[in-house]
């Protein structure tokens, strides 16, 4: 559920009309809804009420400081994958003891920084990383709490590029190696081995892969405890899908997901950590773009808009489907035309939607690309020397630009001429 809806025939973000924001900010821009972000945290909290569970928002999904500060005030912890994300989470006011640091390639510098901040735990993904973390912690005279990320070899039945829990994926340690590596970890002086981590993929719309993974996590917890390891926390990752196609793809409700967690892991007496990204931010954001031209192609129409693949990479990178809504509701009553919604970037893959039956959009009208709040702005670039897309946060009847559009001088000024090309 989200708070983007038509009021008096015009699409609004909560109580703010999108044309009003467009007039002030220009297009394209991302627009996020505070009420939607907070609602998703509450829905998860309610689903997990009665379980000892901590929600750590996956910062990679949307790392705008205003979004993170909203999450922090809603009480969420954070899952970070770099020093940069850790710095963002801390700057947004997230207590260090609610932060988990994941990722296959943490550098020693990043480990030292995170230890200095006093984060809750590291999710370690390999044997050499275990050793490196122990050395860094020992050098600093501290102990690093760790969970090992275990790859359960479960098929998440999602897009191949966002599936992480198969044995051929780079993530985690093989399930069968876990007993040996936990035994080794216990001998390392800088580590306090406390948990198990699993994350099998993203945009998962079926509970079955979760059920399989949680069952394996349960078995492993019992086995490791049997071998004398104190397993205090279970980090079950993120991955819960969102409905990109309205009522046509309905992901499991958080209540069903929470019931599954309780059934599989509830009696183990371990604290559960969740790392949701998309489920919280996905439909809390949209990309608003303006039609530039309409061109008749051979057999279909091209609606050329000012947003492009550099602003929202998901359609071309993952063949992802995002609904496109006209900002004026009256356009929904007109006839539908087969069309591609494309941007100005010089790539055939530059589209926001392809082969869609949509209203016959006209130049200058505003369109909203829906469910773009997760993995949208964070994956944007300046390809084709396009300015980084601005971000706006709405709260009730207020809105604020939370990342302004840079100037061309800002962008080009990042480059430097070498001495031999100066003057
Ligand atoms: N935890 C770990 C260890 C992860 O790798 C991820 C996502 C999450 C949590 C959050 O997953 P979520 O709840 O958002 O599904 N750019 C892609 C998605 C990449 C996901 C990477 N890892 C996309 O746009 O679909």
């Amino acid at each position: 559920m989200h708070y983007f809806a038509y009021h008096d025939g015009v699409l609004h973000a909560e109580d703010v009309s999108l044309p009003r924001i467009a007039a002030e900010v220009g297009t394209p821009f991302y627009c996020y809804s505070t009420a939607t972000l907070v609602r998703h945290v509450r829905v998860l909290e309610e689903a997990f009420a009665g379980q000892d569970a901590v929600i750590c928002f996956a910062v990679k999904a949307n790392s705008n400081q205003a979004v993170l500060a909203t999450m922090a005030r809603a009480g969420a912890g954070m899952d970070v994958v770099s020093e940069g994300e850790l710095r963002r989470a801390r700057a947004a006011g997230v207590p260090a003891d609610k932060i988990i640091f994941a990722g296959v390639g943490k550098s020693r510098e990043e480990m030292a920084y995170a230890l200095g901040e006093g984060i809750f735990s590291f999710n370690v993904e390999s044997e050499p990383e275990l050793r490196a973390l122990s050395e860094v912690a020992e050098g600093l005279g501290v102990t690093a709490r760790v969970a090992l990320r275990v790859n359960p070899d479960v098929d998440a039945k999602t897009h191949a590029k966002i599936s992480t829990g198969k044995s051929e994926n780079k993530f985690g340690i093989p399930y069968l190696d876990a007993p040996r590596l936990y035994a080794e970890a216990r001998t390392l002086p800088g580590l306090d081995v406390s948990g198990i981590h699993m994350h099998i993929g993203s945009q998962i719309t079926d509970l079955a892969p979760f059920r399989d993974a949680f069952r394996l996590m349960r078995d492993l917890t019992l086995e490791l405890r049997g071998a004398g390891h104190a397993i205090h926390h279970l980090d079950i990752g993120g991955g819960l899908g969102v409905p990109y196609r309205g009522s046509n793809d309905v992901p499991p409700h958080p209540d069903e997901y929470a019931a599954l967690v309780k059934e599989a892991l509830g009696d183990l007496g371990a604290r559960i950590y969740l790392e949701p990204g998309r489920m919280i931010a996905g439909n809390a954001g949209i990309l608003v773009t303006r039609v530039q031209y309409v061109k008749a192609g051979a057999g279909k129409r091209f609606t050329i808009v000012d947003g492009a693949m550099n602003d929202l990479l998901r359609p071309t990178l993952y063949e992802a489907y995002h609904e496109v809504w006209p900002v004026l509701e009256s356009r929904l009553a007109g006839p539908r035309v087969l069309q591609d919604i494309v941007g100005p970037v010089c790539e055939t893959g530059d589209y926001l939607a392809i082969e869609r039956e949509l209203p016959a959009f006209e130049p200058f009208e505003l369109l909203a690309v829906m469910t773009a709040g997760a993995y949208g702005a964070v994956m944007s670039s300046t390809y084709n020397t396009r300015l980084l897309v601005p971000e706006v946060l709405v709260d009730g009847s207020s809105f604020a630009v939370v990342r302004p559009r840079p100037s061309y001088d800002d962008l080009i000024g990042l480059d430097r001429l070498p001495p031999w090309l100066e003057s």
Side-chain angles (χ1 to χ4, degrees):
M1 212 227 117
H2 60 74
Y3 294 91
F4 297 98
Y6 295 101
H7 302 303
D8 299 325
V10 177
L11 191 59
H12 282 58
E14 303 187 20
D15 299 329
V16 183
S17 89
L18 294 173
R20 196 179 135 208
I21 304 177
E24 200 168 308
V25 178
T27 51
F29 64 90
Y30 276 95
C31 178
Y32 309 127
S33 150
T34 300
T36 313
L37 289 166
V38 174
R39 182 190 144 85
H40 290 156
V41 177
R42 299 291 171 245
V43 165
L44 261 190
E45 273 174 359
E46 278 161 29
F48 279 87
Q51 298 192 58
D52 183 10
V54 180
I55 298 169
C56 290
F57 175 62
V59 172
K60 63 174 83 65
N62 189 320
S63 59
N64 187 286
Q65 285 303 117
V67 169
L68 299 187
T70 303
M71 292 288 103
R73 287 199 191 182
M78 300 216 174
D79 154 43
V80 303
V81 292
S82 66
E83 180 175 332
E85 285 192 354
L86 172 54
R87 286 177 182 268
R88 282 186 175 277
R90 296 290 287 136
V94 182
D97 63 5
K98 282 195 191 168
I99 297 179
I100 288 182
F101 192 173
V104 290
K106 301 172 199 79
S107 70
R108 284 168 170 74
E109 291 74 21
E110 288 182 309
M111 290 171 176
Y113 184 79
L115 286 167
E117 288 291 289
I119 64 163
F120 169 67
S121 182
F122 292 81
N123 288 337
V124 174
E125 303 222 12
S126 67
E127 193 171 355
E129 189 195 335
L130 270 181
R131 297 218 182 92
L133 182 58
S134 174
E135 277 167 29
V136 173
E138 227 193 335
L140 293 170
V142 296
T143 306
R145 187 178 293 114
V146 301
L148 274 160
R149 177 169 181 177
V150 178
N151 184 323
D153 196 18
V154 163
D155 185 352
K157 299 195 178 66
T158 183
H159 191 278
K161 284 194 181 130
I162 53 174
S163 181
T164 55
K166 288 287 289 168
S167 57
E168 65 262 31
N169 301 138
K170 70 177 176 181
F171 299 100
I173 58 163
Y175 188 83
L176 294 176
D177 286 353
R180 180 178 67 79
L181 289 178
Y182 273 86
E184 180 181 341
R186 197 156 48 159
T187 66
L188 295 173
L191 305 185
D192 165 18
V193 185
S194 156
I196 304 175
H197 174 228
M198 277 188 196
H199 171 79
I200 56 172
S202 198
Q203 185 53 17
I204 301 172
T205 51
D206 178 5
L207 280 181
F210 285 122
R211 186 174 293 117
D212 294 345
F214 297 158
R215 198 169 290 148
L216 288 165
M217 197 173 214
R218 172 188 188 77
D219 293 348
L220 186 60
T221 306
L222 296 175
E223 183 180 346
L224 292 174
R225 284 182 175 168
H229 298 283
I231 300 297
H232 298 296
H233 80 271
L234 299 174
D235 180 340
I236 60 173
L240 205 54
V242 300
Y244 281 103
R245 292 167 192 253
S247 52
N248 290 330
D249 66 334
V250 181
H253 191 278
D255 286 350
E256 297 172 72
Y257 175 73
L260 191 68
V261 173
K262 189 171 181 185
E263 180 193 313
L265 309 169
D267 63 339
L268 295 173
R271 176 168 288 175
I272 303 293
Y273 282 80
L274 313 165
E275 303 173 341
R278 192 186 317 262
M279 184 263 156
I280 288 182
N283 68 16
I286 60 175
L287 175 68
V288 179
T289 182
R290 196 180 285 283
V291 178
Q292 303 279 81
Y293 302 103
V294 173
K295 141 166 140 172
K300 75 176 156 191
R301 178 177 169 121
F302 293 100
T303 301
I304 304 167
V305 298
D306 60 4
M309 66 186 285
N310 70 297
D311 304 312
L312 179 62
L313 192 56
R314 303 195 69 260
T316 193
L317 188 58
Y318 311 115
E319 293 89 39
Y321 184 102
H322 289 261
E323 288 183 1
V324 178
W325 292 13
V327 165
L328 290 183
E329 191 176 17
S330 57
R331 310 291 282 121
L332 291 172
R336 304 284 155 136
V337 199
L338 182 69
Q339 59 188 292
D340 289 359
I341 311 281
V342 302
V345 164
C346 299
E347 295 249 7
T348 303
D350 177 28
Y351 53 81
L352 299 177
I354 44 172
E355 305 277 328
R356 297 280 180 87
E357 298 278 353
L358 289 165
F361 298 126
E362 284 171 10
F364 308 118
E365 78 173 282
L366 294 171
L367 308 183
V369 182
M370 306 303 290
T371 323
Y375 308 109
V378 282
M379 292 176 73
S380 61
S381 75
T382 58
Y383 186 40
N384 277 204
T385 303
R386 287 169 51 82
L387 298 173
L388 218 47
V389 59
E391 296 170 271
V392 170
L393 180 67
V394 170
D395 185 10
S397 55
S398 309
F399 76 92
V401 177
V402 294
R403 182 173 78 186
R405 195 186 311 276
S407 70
Y408 284 109
D409 285 345
D410 291 338
L411 175 57
I412 299 167
L414 290 171
D415 296 357
R416 295 285 179 276
L417 285 179
W420 62 89
L421 289 179
E422 274 170 7
S423 85

